[in-house]
Amino acid sequence: EPEVTQTPSHQVTQMGQEVILRCVPISNHLYFYWYRQILGQKVEFLVSFYNNEISEKSEIFDDQFSVERPDGSNFTLKIRSTKLEDSAMYFCASSVGSNQPQHFGDGTRLSIL
Amino acid sequence: EDQVTQSPEALRLQEGESSSLNCSYTVSGLRGLFWYRQDPGKGPEFLFTLYSAGEEKEKERLKATLTKKESFLHITAPKPEDSATYLCAVASSGGYQKVTFGIGTKLQVIP
């Protein structure tokens, strides 16, 4: 069964450094998403991406965050200058349509030191 | 603002002991309600989508139902491998593709 894959599984970064999280969505899906889950808290929406542009973003997704689909298969989340509070699990998801189920990867655990 | 409340936060069942998990929601027009299963250290795994009140979906020992204010996930004769956190999420007409999650119910099934 096709799945969303994310790399790396764990990323450790010094505060203030830039980090790029990578995702390969399911191949025939058109909508792409990033969520985060701080330990013990809810899964929180960050951003959705369709037709090569951001279609919706939350208040968490400020100027320090950006997303890109650099080629036909990858979808990335960049955090320009990481803060301690960015430590979380980051999940990528994709869906075939805008109101269709979103399928999630297993996440990247980001630890900021 | 969309809100999703799940109860109980944790549930411990004996193998074979059926029960139900609750998801109450407040949205500005429901476009869809989703149930996911999350194992430790993994991403949410899609289980069901419900779109309108009265709708029901079934998969093995799980059955999801939907009313205008809440959804239930019924677990019949659970097995230890059903142990996981079950997440409820909603998509509303107030958000384009955003899905709002509840905190989840952590289910433990004891042999």
Side-chain angles (χ1 to χ4, degrees), chain B residues 65-81:
Chain B
T65 61
L66 180 65
T67 72
K68 288 186 177 179
K69 294 184 178 180
E70 57 191 356
S71 176
F72 291 93
L73 184 66
H74 306 278
I75 303 177
T76 302
K79 297 182 178 181
E81 52 263 41

Side-chain angles (χ1 to χ4, degrees), chain B residues 1 14 20 28 37 41 50 54 71-72 93:
Chain B
E1 186 179 332
Q14 292 289 330
S20 297
S28 54
R37 168 190 172 129
L50 301 166
S71 176
F72 291 93
S93 57

Side-chain angles (χ1 to χ4, degrees), chain B residues 17-86:
Chain B
E17 180 186 1
S18 302
S19 189
S20 297
L21 313 183
N22 177 262
C23 170
S24 300
Y25 62 89
T26 305
V27 297
S28 54
L30 182 71
R31 290 193 296 117
L33 184 141
F34 308 93
W35 281 98
Y36 287 86
R37 168 190 172 129
Q38 187 175 28
D39 291 300
K42 299 287 188 180
E45 176 191 346
F46 171 71
L47 294 173
F48 302 109
T49 309
L50 301 166
Y51 290 109
S52 57
E55 192 174 356
E56 297 182 354
K57 294 273 179 74
E58 272 188 83
K59 180 180 178 181
E60 295 180 359
R61 294 177 292 282
L62 300 177
K63 179 180 176 180
T65 61
L66 180 65
T67 72
K68 288 186 177 179
K69 294 184 178 180
E70 57 191 356
S71 176
F72 291 93
L73 184 66
H74 306 278
I75 303 177
T76 302
K79 297 182 178 181
E81 52 263 41
D82 295 323
S83 297
T85 296
Y86 290 85

Side-chain angles (χ1 to χ4, degrees), chain A residues 31 33 35 37 40-43 45 48-49 55-56 89 91 98-106, chain B residues 4 31-32 34 36 38 41-44 46 49 51 87 91 94-99 101-103:
Chain A
Y31 293 79
Y33 314 85
Y35 289 80
Q37 186 175 31
Q41 298 186 22
K42 297 181 181 184
V43 175
F45 171 80
S48 59
F49 191 86
S55 50
E56 190 174 4
M89 282 289 283
F91 293 110
S98 68
N99 199 31
Q100 297 299 308
Q102 298 175 20
H103 295 267
F104 286 73
D106 280 339
Chain B
V4 178
R31 290 193 296 117
F34 308 93
Y36 287 86
Q38 187 175 28
K42 299 287 188 180
F46 171 71
T49 309
Y51 290 109
L87 304 175
Y96 190 50
Q97 287 125 20
K98 171 185 174 181
V99 169
F101 280 83
I103 191 71

